[in-house]
Amino acid sequence: MIETPYLLFLGDAPDTLSGKVAQGIKDWRPENCVGQYRMEGCKADMKLPDMSLTEAKAAGAKTLVIGVANRGGKISQTWKKVLVGALEEGFDLASGLHNLLCNEPDLVAVAQATGRSLHDVRVPEVAYPIASGEKRTGRRVLAVGTDCSIGKMYTALALDAAMREKGMKATFRATGQTGILITGDGVPLDAVIADFMAGSIEWLTPDNEADHWDIIEGQGSLFHASFSGVSLALVHGGQPDALILCHEPTRTHMRGLPGYALPSLEEVRDLSLQLARVVNPDCRAVGVSINTQHMGEEEAARYCEKVEARLGLPTVDPFRHGAGRLADALAAF
């Protein structure tokens, strides 16, 4: 178990989006966040108290969580002094990066010397099966998007909260590092061997009651040249009954791919349904989630209205406006 509360480490993150792990924990488990640690040049800010290691320890923090999601998921050498200092100060370390803490000899040596723990969230702990494609009982909804890092996890978590408020049976199923750090359980999908990715999602979303919904956290995008593989594994392994389309309208290109424009919501809807219907012929799109964080209130409302009129689906920013209408669409499924 990863001990709480946390000190969120933002390192030298170049922008807020790079600190999305810390942002997710802060937004969905604020009670677990004592403060943030930022190095010189850090441009991410979770609006938490800036603390030194000593100050955070005195405030009760038990684990330093690496809240940065950089390209390639690497532990930067410039962070090492802080990470070593955290272990010596009495903190455990937790990370969801591909570059594992347990593969860093200097960190392992200090952790052993100080009796502290290293928690690597992105390490599969189950021998996942190969996908069978067999139909399972219960219902499943999956968030699919025009790009990566646009709010698919936020959509799923907001939907989970809204469905519970309405008395619906629902379970959020984490498939990435931040979701696992928030909920304490899930599948680190992008660390699963390719042949077993779809099977891991079948394992994650087993047979259930007929009126129970598994809310599957989306990853990547079917249109993203770097991360389409995890997206397809979610579609085929999840066998979704319903899709929520996710979009961030201020993007000028795919994240990390300046030469690639974002697809339209219609293109995402059509391709996602075509692929989902391979394993579930009855799958359909039921709503749209718009990430309006870079828009004013009126602009956000107008944009959602236009998309809703265009696609004929309930359209909201679930973090800003709540996911009640998306939950209603599933209740009427």
Side-chain angles (χ1 to χ4, degrees), residues 67-113:
V68 184
N70 54 18
R71 188 168 178 82
K74 299 178 180 178
I75 296 174
S76 169
Q77 290 302 309
T78 62
W79 302 348
K80 283 294 187 67
K81 184 177 180 180
V82 178
L83 300 182
V84 169
L87 291 168
E88 293 174 339
E89 191 73 37
F91 287 90
D92 292 339
L93 299 183
S95 169
L97 297 173
H98 287 295
N99 185 184
L100 303 180
L101 296 169
C102 66
N103 289 339
E104 297 294 308
D106 49 354
L107 296 180
V108 171
V110 177
Q112 290 175 343

Side-chain angles (χ1 to χ4, degrees), residues 307-323:
V307 171
E308 182 159 342
R310 197 175 88 217
L311 272 70
L313 297 172
T315 302
V316 298
D317 180 330
F319 191 66
R320 192 174 202 167
H321 307 132

Side-chain angles (χ1 to χ4, degrees), residues 116-261:
R116 306 317 307 170
S117 298
L118 303 177
H119 299 281
D120 286 301
V121 173
R122 237 181 190 139
V123 176
E125 297 180 346
V126 175
Y128 299 118
I130 291 176
S132 69
E134 294 180 4
K135 182 64 177 174
R136 306 187 294 286
T137 57
R139 289 179 170 175
R140 291 154 193 87
V141 55
L142 171 67
V144 294
T146 56
D147 196 4
C148 57
S149 304
I150 55 169
K152 295 181 291 293
M153 182 192 73
Y154 274 59
T155 298
L157 284 165
L159 184 57
D160 178 54
M163 292 174 77
R164 289 175 181 274
E165 287 176 6
K166 293 176 179 291
M168 300 172 67
K169 297 174 185 176
T171 303
F172 170 74
R173 302 296 189 181
T175 61
Q177 56 171 330
T178 309
I180 294 172
L181 283 166
I182 290 170
T183 64
D185 194 18
V187 169
L189 184 58
D190 58 7
V192 175
I193 294 173
D195 277 357
F196 302 96
M197 287 196 298
S200 74
I201 303 307
E202 287 188 351
W203 175 90
L204 184 66
T205 58
D207 286 322
N208 217 313
E209 298 171 85
D211 58 347
H212 177 277
W213 284 92
D214 273 335
I215 306 167
I216 305 172
E217 176 190 2
Q219 298 292 335
S221 170
L222 291 169
F223 290 83
H224 199 291
S226 305
F227 307 119
S228 57
V230 290
S231 306
L232 184 56
L234 285 163
V235 170
H236 283 170
Q239 291 185 345
D241 298 279
L243 301 176
I244 304 291
L245 314 178
C246 302
H247 181 55
E248 204 276 74
T250 67
R251 295 276 176 96
T252 56
H253 58 77
M254 286 278 195
R255 190 182 183 208
L257 301 177
Y260 286 79

